[in-house]
Amino acid sequence: MDEKLKKLKNILGEKAKENEPLGRYTTLKIGGPADLFFDAKTIDELTEAITSARKLGIPYFMLGGGTNILIGDRGIRGLVIKNSTDRIAIAGAKGKFEGGENKSTVYVEADSGVIMNKLVRFTIEEGLGGLEMQLGLPGTVGGAMYMNSKWTQPEGYVGDAVYQATILNGKNEVKVVPRSYFQFGYDKSILQEIPDVVLRVVFILKREPKEKLWEVANSVMAYRRGTQPQGVKSPGCTFRNISKSEAMSVPTPNHTTSAGFLIDHAGLKGTRVGDAQISPVHANFIVNLGSSSASDVVKLIEIIRAKVKQQFGVTLKEEIVRVGEF
Ligand SMILES: Cc1cc2nc3c(=O)[nH]c(=O)nc-3n(C[C@H](O)[C@H](O)[C@H](O)COP(=O)(O)OP(=O)(O)OC[C@H]3O[C@@H](n4cnc5c(N)ncnc54)[C@H](O)[C@@H]3O)c2cc1C
Protein backbone atom coordinates (compact mmCIF):
# COMPACT_ATOMS: atom_id res chain seq x y z
CA MET A 1 0.00 0.00 0.00
CA ASP A 2 1.50 3.37 -0.97
CA GLU A 3 2.07 6.25 1.46
CA LYS A 4 -0.95 8.30 0.35
CA LEU A 5 -3.32 5.36 0.78
CA LYS A 6 -1.84 4.67 4.22
CA LYS A 7 -2.53 8.29 5.18
CA LEU A 8 -6.11 8.01 3.95
CA LYS A 9 -6.56 4.75 5.86
CA ASN A 10 -5.37 6.49 9.04
CA ILE A 11 -7.86 9.33 8.52
CA LEU A 12 -10.78 6.96 7.87
CA GLY A 13 -9.92 4.71 10.80
CA GLU A 14 -10.52 1.04 11.46
CA LYS A 15 -13.60 0.83 9.27
CA ALA A 16 -11.50 1.31 6.11
CA LYS A 17 -10.67 -2.10 4.61
CA GLU A 18 -7.79 -2.96 2.29
CA ASN A 19 -8.24 -5.11 -0.83
CA GLU A 20 -11.96 -5.59 -0.29
CA PRO A 21 -13.53 -7.77 -3.06
CA LEU A 22 -16.32 -5.74 -4.68
CA GLY A 23 -18.47 -8.37 -6.38
CA ARG A 24 -20.55 -8.80 -3.23
CA TYR A 25 -21.60 -5.13 -3.39
CA THR A 26 -23.10 -5.44 -6.88
CA THR A 27 -26.20 -7.21 -8.17
CA LEU A 28 -24.12 -8.81 -10.97
CA LYS A 29 -21.76 -10.28 -8.32
CA ILE A 30 -18.66 -9.51 -10.38
CA GLY A 31 -15.65 -7.33 -9.64
CA GLY A 32 -12.09 -7.40 -8.33
CA PRO A 33 -10.90 -5.66 -5.14
CA ALA A 34 -10.83 -2.01 -4.08
CA ASP A 35 -7.43 -0.81 -2.82
CA LEU A 36 -9.32 0.80 0.05
CA PHE A 37 -13.03 0.42 0.89
CA PHE A 38 -15.06 2.56 3.26
CA ASP A 39 -18.68 2.09 4.25
CA ALA A 40 -20.10 5.57 5.01
CA LYS A 41 -23.08 5.47 7.37
CA THR A 42 -23.61 9.22 7.74
CA ILE A 43 -23.39 12.27 5.49
CA ASP A 44 -20.45 13.53 7.58
CA GLU A 45 -18.54 10.27 7.01
CA LEU A 46 -19.36 10.38 3.30
CA THR A 47 -18.17 13.98 2.97
CA GLU A 48 -15.01 13.35 4.96
CA ALA A 49 -14.07 10.29 2.90
CA ILE A 50 -14.46 12.13 -0.41
CA THR A 51 -12.77 15.37 0.61
CA SER A 52 -9.85 13.48 2.22
CA ALA A 53 -9.31 11.35 -0.90
CA ARG A 54 -9.44 14.44 -3.11
CA LYS A 55 -6.98 16.39 -0.92
CA LEU A 56 -4.51 13.48 -1.09
CA GLY A 57 -5.00 13.15 -4.87
CA ILE A 58 -6.38 9.62 -4.52
CA PRO A 59 -9.01 8.53 -7.07
CA TYR A 60 -12.32 7.48 -5.55
CA PHE A 61 -15.50 5.81 -6.72
CA MET A 62 -18.93 6.44 -5.21
CA LEU A 63 -20.81 3.17 -4.91
CA GLY A 64 -24.56 3.17 -4.38
CA GLY A 65 -26.48 -0.10 -4.52
CA GLY A 66 -24.17 -1.46 -7.25
CA THR A 67 -27.25 -2.31 -9.35
CA ASN A 68 -26.17 -0.62 -12.59
CA ILE A 69 -22.41 -1.17 -12.76
CA LEU A 70 -19.87 -3.57 -14.19
CA ILE A 71 -16.66 -3.62 -12.14
CA GLY A 72 -13.52 -4.91 -13.85
CA ASP A 73 -11.89 -8.19 -12.79
CA ARG A 74 -8.81 -6.31 -11.56
CA GLY A 75 -10.91 -4.09 -9.32
CA ILE A 76 -10.81 -0.37 -8.58
CA ARG A 77 -7.70 1.64 -7.73
CA GLY A 78 -7.89 4.13 -4.89
CA LEU A 79 -10.89 4.44 -2.58
CA VAL A 80 -14.37 2.97 -3.02
CA ILE A 81 -17.00 4.56 -0.80
CA LYS A 82 -20.14 2.54 -0.18
CA ASN A 83 -23.02 4.89 0.52
CA SER A 84 -25.00 3.46 3.45
CA THR A 85 -26.56 6.75 4.61
CA ASP A 86 -30.20 6.07 5.35
CA ARG A 87 -32.19 8.97 6.78
CA ILE A 88 -35.69 9.82 5.46
CA ALA A 89 -37.78 12.67 6.92
CA ILE A 90 -40.74 14.85 6.06
CA ALA A 91 -39.11 18.25 5.56
CA GLY A 92 -42.20 20.45 5.27
CA ALA A 93 -45.57 21.00 3.64
CA LYS A 94 -47.59 23.75 2.06
CA GLY A 95 -51.12 24.06 0.70
CA LYS A 96 -54.64 23.74 1.97
CA PHE A 97 -57.88 21.80 2.23
CA GLU A 98 -60.16 22.32 -0.79
CA GLY A 99 -63.66 20.85 -0.98
CA GLY A 100 -62.88 18.64 2.02
CA GLU A 101 -59.71 17.32 0.34
CA ASN A 102 -56.15 17.82 1.52
CA LYS A 103 -54.38 19.37 -1.51
CA SER A 104 -51.07 20.00 0.14
CA THR A 105 -47.61 19.62 -1.33
CA VAL A 106 -45.21 17.76 0.91
CA TYR A 107 -41.40 17.83 0.86
CA VAL A 108 -39.60 14.61 1.76
CA GLU A 109 -35.86 14.63 2.37
CA ALA A 110 -33.77 11.50 1.85
CA ASP A 111 -30.06 10.82 2.25
CA SER A 112 -28.47 9.76 -1.03
CA GLY A 113 -27.78 6.26 0.33
CA VAL A 114 -31.46 5.57 1.06
CA ILE A 115 -32.66 2.49 -0.80
CA MET A 116 -35.20 3.65 -3.41
CA ASN A 117 -37.66 0.91 -2.49
CA LYS A 118 -37.63 2.02 1.15
CA LEU A 119 -38.27 5.62 0.10
CA VAL A 120 -41.08 4.65 -2.30
CA ARG A 121 -42.83 2.55 0.34
CA PHE A 122 -42.46 5.37 2.87
CA THR A 123 -44.01 7.93 0.51
CA ILE A 124 -46.91 5.64 -0.44
CA GLU A 125 -47.65 4.84 3.19
CA GLU A 126 -47.66 8.60 3.94
CA GLY A 127 -50.18 9.09 1.09
CA LEU A 128 -47.71 11.05 -1.06
CA GLY A 129 -47.74 10.68 -4.84
CA GLY A 130 -44.88 11.12 -7.31
CA LEU A 131 -42.60 8.14 -6.73
CA GLU A 132 -45.10 5.25 -6.64
CA MET A 133 -44.21 4.08 -10.19
CA GLN A 134 -40.61 3.54 -9.01
CA LEU A 135 -41.52 0.61 -6.73
CA GLY A 136 -39.12 -2.22 -7.55
CA LEU A 137 -36.36 0.13 -8.77
CA PRO A 138 -33.21 -1.32 -7.17
CA GLY A 139 -30.39 0.84 -5.81
CA THR A 140 -30.08 4.10 -3.93
CA VAL A 141 -31.37 7.65 -4.28
CA GLY A 142 -27.87 8.78 -5.40
CA GLY A 143 -27.66 6.16 -8.17
CA ALA A 144 -31.18 7.08 -9.34
CA MET A 145 -30.14 10.77 -9.52
CA TYR A 146 -27.02 9.87 -11.52
CA MET A 147 -29.00 7.95 -14.17
CA ASN A 148 -32.35 9.76 -13.75
CA SER A 149 -33.80 6.27 -13.35
CA LYS A 150 -37.24 5.69 -14.74
CA TRP A 151 -40.28 3.54 -15.26
CA THR A 152 -42.31 3.57 -18.43
CA GLN A 153 -45.80 2.27 -17.56
CA PRO A 154 -46.90 4.77 -16.30
CA GLU A 155 -43.95 6.88 -17.38
CA GLY A 156 -42.05 8.60 -14.60
CA TYR A 157 -38.46 9.68 -14.01
CA VAL A 158 -36.98 9.99 -10.52
CA GLY A 159 -35.78 13.48 -11.54
CA ASP A 160 -39.42 14.57 -12.11
CA ALA A 161 -40.05 14.46 -8.36
CA VAL A 162 -36.85 16.23 -7.27
CA TYR A 163 -37.24 19.68 -5.70
CA GLN A 164 -33.65 20.38 -4.67
CA ALA A 165 -30.56 18.54 -3.48
CA THR A 166 -27.49 19.02 -1.36
CA ILE A 167 -24.32 18.24 -3.26
CA LEU A 168 -20.60 18.15 -2.56
CA ASN A 169 -19.12 19.79 -5.63
CA GLY A 170 -15.69 19.31 -7.19
CA LYS A 171 -14.28 22.17 -5.08
CA ASN A 172 -15.31 20.37 -1.88
CA GLU A 173 -18.10 22.91 -1.27
CA VAL A 174 -21.46 21.75 0.07
CA LYS A 175 -24.25 23.49 -1.89
CA VAL A 176 -28.03 23.30 -2.14
CA VAL A 177 -29.06 23.26 -5.80
CA PRO A 178 -32.48 23.21 -7.53
CA ARG A 179 -33.74 20.42 -9.81
CA SER A 180 -32.75 22.35 -12.97
CA TYR A 181 -29.08 22.06 -11.94
CA PHE A 182 -29.14 18.34 -12.79
CA GLN A 183 -30.21 18.78 -16.45
CA PHE A 184 -32.20 15.57 -16.28
CA GLY A 185 -32.98 13.73 -19.52
CA TYR A 186 -33.48 10.14 -20.65
CA ASP A 187 -30.83 8.08 -18.74
CA LYS A 188 -29.05 11.38 -18.21
CA SER A 189 -28.03 13.89 -15.55
CA ILE A 190 -25.18 16.36 -15.21
CA LEU A 191 -23.66 14.02 -12.60
CA GLN A 192 -22.37 11.88 -15.48
CA GLU A 193 -20.16 14.81 -16.57
CA ILE A 194 -18.96 16.50 -13.36
CA PRO A 195 -17.44 15.24 -10.10
CA ASP A 196 -20.35 16.31 -7.85
CA VAL A 197 -21.62 13.82 -5.32
CA VAL A 198 -25.24 13.94 -4.17
CA LEU A 199 -25.53 14.01 -0.39
CA ARG A 200 -29.28 14.53 0.15
CA VAL A 201 -32.34 15.05 -1.99
CA VAL A 202 -35.63 16.84 -1.26
CA PHE A 203 -38.55 15.39 -3.25
CA ILE A 204 -41.73 17.38 -3.89
CA LEU A 205 -44.81 15.17 -3.61
CA LYS A 206 -48.58 15.58 -3.71
CA ARG A 207 -51.15 14.30 -1.22
CA GLU A 208 -53.03 11.40 -2.82
CA PRO A 209 -55.09 8.49 -1.51
CA LYS A 210 -52.81 5.70 -0.32
CA GLU A 211 -54.98 3.01 -1.97
CA LYS A 212 -54.61 4.65 -5.39
CA LEU A 213 -50.84 4.85 -4.98
CA TRP A 214 -50.59 1.17 -3.98
CA GLU A 215 -52.70 0.24 -7.01
CA VAL A 216 -50.16 1.89 -9.34
CA ALA A 217 -47.18 0.47 -7.42
CA ASN A 218 -48.63 -3.05 -7.41
CA SER A 219 -49.35 -2.93 -11.15
CA VAL A 220 -45.73 -1.86 -11.77
CA MET A 221 -44.50 -4.80 -9.69
CA ALA A 222 -46.75 -7.22 -11.58
CA TYR A 223 -45.37 -5.90 -14.90
CA ARG A 224 -41.78 -6.24 -13.65
CA ARG A 225 -42.40 -9.83 -12.51
CA GLY A 226 -43.95 -10.69 -15.88
CA THR A 227 -41.19 -9.21 -18.05
CA GLN A 228 -37.91 -9.27 -16.11
CA PRO A 229 -35.91 -12.29 -14.91
CA GLN A 230 -36.38 -12.81 -11.17
CA GLY A 231 -33.82 -13.91 -8.57
CA VAL A 232 -30.87 -13.63 -10.96
CA LYS A 233 -27.50 -11.88 -10.74
CA SER A 234 -27.82 -8.96 -13.13
CA PRO A 235 -27.23 -5.20 -13.47
CA GLY A 236 -30.64 -4.66 -15.11
CA CYS A 237 -30.78 -3.27 -18.65
CA THR A 238 -27.40 -3.41 -20.36
CA PHE A 239 -28.13 -0.90 -23.14
CA ARG A 240 -30.06 2.36 -23.40
CA ASN A 241 -33.03 2.39 -25.71
CA ILE A 242 -32.27 3.96 -29.09
CA SER A 243 -33.42 7.49 -29.93
CA LYS A 244 -36.70 8.16 -31.76
CA SER A 245 -34.79 9.41 -34.82
CA GLU A 246 -32.68 6.21 -34.95
CA ALA A 247 -35.84 4.15 -34.50
CA MET A 248 -37.38 5.80 -37.58
CA SER A 249 -34.60 4.29 -39.70
CA VAL A 250 -35.18 0.76 -38.39
CA PRO A 251 -37.90 -1.37 -40.00
CA THR A 252 -39.48 -2.63 -36.76
CA PRO A 253 -43.13 -2.59 -35.64
CA ASN A 254 -44.13 0.97 -34.71
CA HIS A 255 -40.45 1.95 -35.07
CA THR A 256 -39.80 0.74 -31.53
CA THR A 257 -36.96 2.33 -29.53
CA SER A 258 -36.56 -0.79 -27.37
CA ALA A 259 -32.97 -2.09 -27.24
CA GLY A 260 -34.37 -5.39 -25.89
CA PHE A 261 -36.56 -5.80 -29.00
CA LEU A 262 -33.53 -5.33 -31.30
CA ILE A 263 -31.39 -7.82 -29.34
CA ASP A 264 -34.23 -10.35 -29.26
CA HIS A 265 -34.90 -9.99 -32.99
CA ALA A 266 -31.19 -10.36 -33.75
CA GLY A 267 -31.77 -13.89 -32.36
CA LEU A 268 -29.46 -13.40 -29.39
CA LYS A 269 -31.60 -14.42 -26.39
CA GLY A 270 -29.82 -17.15 -24.41
CA THR A 271 -26.37 -16.49 -26.02
CA ARG A 272 -23.52 -17.25 -23.59
CA VAL A 273 -19.88 -16.36 -23.08
CA GLY A 274 -18.65 -18.43 -20.14
CA ASP A 275 -21.19 -17.90 -17.37
CA ALA A 276 -22.45 -14.59 -18.80
CA GLN A 277 -25.75 -15.04 -20.61
CA ILE A 278 -28.28 -12.86 -22.43
CA SER A 279 -31.39 -13.56 -20.39
CA PRO A 280 -33.87 -15.82 -22.18
CA VAL A 281 -36.61 -13.77 -20.41
CA HIS A 282 -35.52 -10.19 -21.24
CA ALA A 283 -32.97 -9.69 -24.03
CA ASN A 284 -31.59 -6.44 -22.58
CA PHE A 285 -30.61 -8.17 -19.31
CA ILE A 286 -27.24 -9.91 -19.03
CA VAL A 287 -27.18 -12.44 -16.21
CA ASN A 288 -24.30 -14.08 -14.36
CA LEU A 289 -25.15 -17.79 -14.23
CA GLY A 290 -22.54 -18.54 -11.56
CA SER A 291 -18.95 -17.49 -11.86
CA SER A 292 -18.86 -15.15 -14.84
CA SER A 293 -15.96 -12.72 -15.11
CA ALA A 294 -16.23 -9.07 -16.15
CA SER A 295 -14.35 -9.90 -19.34
CA ASP A 296 -17.01 -12.51 -20.25
CA VAL A 297 -19.64 -9.79 -19.87
CA VAL A 298 -17.61 -7.36 -22.01
CA LYS A 299 -17.25 -10.01 -24.76
CA LEU A 300 -21.00 -10.62 -24.68
CA ILE A 301 -21.68 -6.88 -24.88
CA GLU A 302 -19.47 -6.65 -27.99
CA ILE A 303 -21.24 -9.62 -29.61
CA ILE A 304 -24.60 -7.91 -29.05
CA ARG A 305 -23.40 -4.55 -30.36
CA ALA A 306 -21.90 -6.08 -33.51
CA LYS A 307 -24.94 -8.26 -34.33
CA VAL A 308 -27.46 -5.45 -33.76
CA LYS A 309 -25.36 -3.07 -35.87
CA GLN A 310 -25.12 -5.65 -38.65
CA GLN A 311 -28.84 -6.45 -38.62
CA PHE A 312 -30.44 -3.06 -37.85
CA GLY A 313 -27.68 -0.50 -38.62
CA VAL A 314 -27.78 1.13 -35.16
CA THR A 315 -25.03 1.17 -32.53
CA LEU A 316 -26.32 0.40 -29.04
CA LYS A 317 -24.97 2.53 -26.18
CA GLU A 318 -24.44 1.03 -22.75
CA GLU A 319 -26.65 1.97 -19.83
CA ILE A 320 -24.51 0.08 -17.32
CA VAL A 321 -21.49 1.96 -16.01
CA ARG A 322 -18.10 0.24 -16.45
CA VAL A 323 -15.74 0.95 -13.56
CA GLY A 324 -12.18 -0.01 -12.65
CA GLU A 325 -9.56 -2.13 -14.38
CA PHE A 326 -10.58 -4.91 -16.76
C1 LIG B 1 -33.35 -6.12 -11.63
C2 LIG B 1 -33.04 -4.69 -12.00
C3 LIG B 1 -34.06 -3.88 -12.45
C4 LIG B 1 -33.81 -2.54 -12.80
N1 LIG B 1 -34.85 -1.78 -13.21
C5 LIG B 1 -34.61 -0.49 -13.56
C6 LIG B 1 -35.70 0.35 -13.98
O1 LIG B 1 -36.86 -0.02 -13.99
N2 LIG B 1 -35.41 1.64 -14.34
C7 LIG B 1 -34.12 2.11 -14.33
O2 LIG B 1 -33.93 3.29 -14.68
N3 LIG B 1 -33.08 1.34 -13.92
C8 LIG B 1 -33.30 0.07 -13.53
N4 LIG B 1 -32.25 -0.70 -13.10
C9 LIG B 1 -30.88 -0.13 -13.06
C10 LIG B 1 -30.49 0.47 -11.68
O3 LIG B 1 -31.24 -0.13 -10.67
C11 LIG B 1 -30.70 1.98 -11.60
O4 LIG B 1 -29.90 2.65 -12.57
C12 LIG B 1 -30.34 2.53 -10.21
O5 LIG B 1 -30.90 3.82 -10.07
C13 LIG B 1 -28.84 2.58 -9.91
O6 LIG B 1 -28.67 2.94 -8.54
P1 LIG B 1 -27.45 2.40 -7.65
O7 LIG B 1 -27.53 3.04 -6.33
O8 LIG B 1 -27.42 0.91 -7.64
O9 LIG B 1 -26.20 2.97 -8.47
P2 LIG B 1 -24.79 2.23 -8.69
O10 LIG B 1 -24.97 1.10 -9.64
O11 LIG B 1 -24.15 1.94 -7.40
O12 LIG B 1 -23.98 3.42 -9.41
C14 LIG B 1 -24.36 3.89 -10.68
C15 LIG B 1 -23.65 5.22 -10.94
O13 LIG B 1 -24.21 6.22 -10.05
C16 LIG B 1 -23.15 6.90 -9.39
N5 LIG B 1 -23.63 7.33 -8.07
C17 LIG B 1 -24.14 6.54 -7.09
N6 LIG B 1 -24.45 7.29 -6.01
C18 LIG B 1 -24.13 8.56 -6.31
C19 LIG B 1 -24.21 9.80 -5.57
N7 LIG B 1 -24.67 9.85 -4.32
N8 LIG B 1 -23.78 10.92 -6.19
C20 LIG B 1 -23.29 10.89 -7.46
N9 LIG B 1 -23.19 9.75 -8.19
C21 LIG B 1 -23.61 8.59 -7.62
C22 LIG B 1 -22.05 5.85 -9.28
O14 LIG B 1 -20.79 6.47 -9.02
C23 LIG B 1 -22.15 5.17 -10.64
O15 LIG B 1 -21.44 5.93 -11.60
C24 LIG B 1 -32.49 -2.03 -12.72
C25 LIG B 1 -31.45 -2.86 -12.24
C26 LIG B 1 -31.72 -4.17 -11.87
C27 LIG B 1 -30.61 -5.02 -11.32
Side-chain angles (χ1 to χ4, degrees), residues 118-152:
K118 186 175 155 191
L119 175 65
V120 174
R121 286 174 187 280
F122 174 88
T123 58
I124 297 176
E125 277 302 308
E126 290 289 331
L128 301 174
L131 288 172
E132 63 282 4
M133 74 294 282
Q134 309 301 345
L135 192 65
L137 173 69
T140 60
V141 167
M145 293 285 286
Y146 179 91
M147 194 54 77
N148 191 19
S149 299
K150 73 281 165 192
W151 184 248
T152 49

Side-chain angles (χ1 to χ4, degrees), residues 224-295:
R224 275 187 192 276
R225 287 193 198 103
T227 54
Q228 297 179 351
Q230 301 297 305
V232 292
K233 301 173 189 170
S234 168
C237 286
T238 315
F239 295 99
R240 295 162 190 241
N241 286 337
I242 59 172
S243 67
K244 287 202 174 104
S245 60
E246 283 174 311
M248 291 311 288
S249 68
V250 181
T252 51
N254 302 323
H255 297 292
T256 177
T257 57
S258 161
F261 180 94
L262 300 179
I263 301 166
D264 189 4
H265 284 76
L268 289 167
K269 264 188 177 168
T271 305
R272 271 178 82 160
V273 174
D275 264 354
Q277 184 191 39
I278 302 172
S279 165
V281 180
H282 189 310
N284 203 8
F285 274 55
I286 288 181
V287 294
N288 173 6
L289 295 176
S291 52
S292 165
S293 63
S295 61

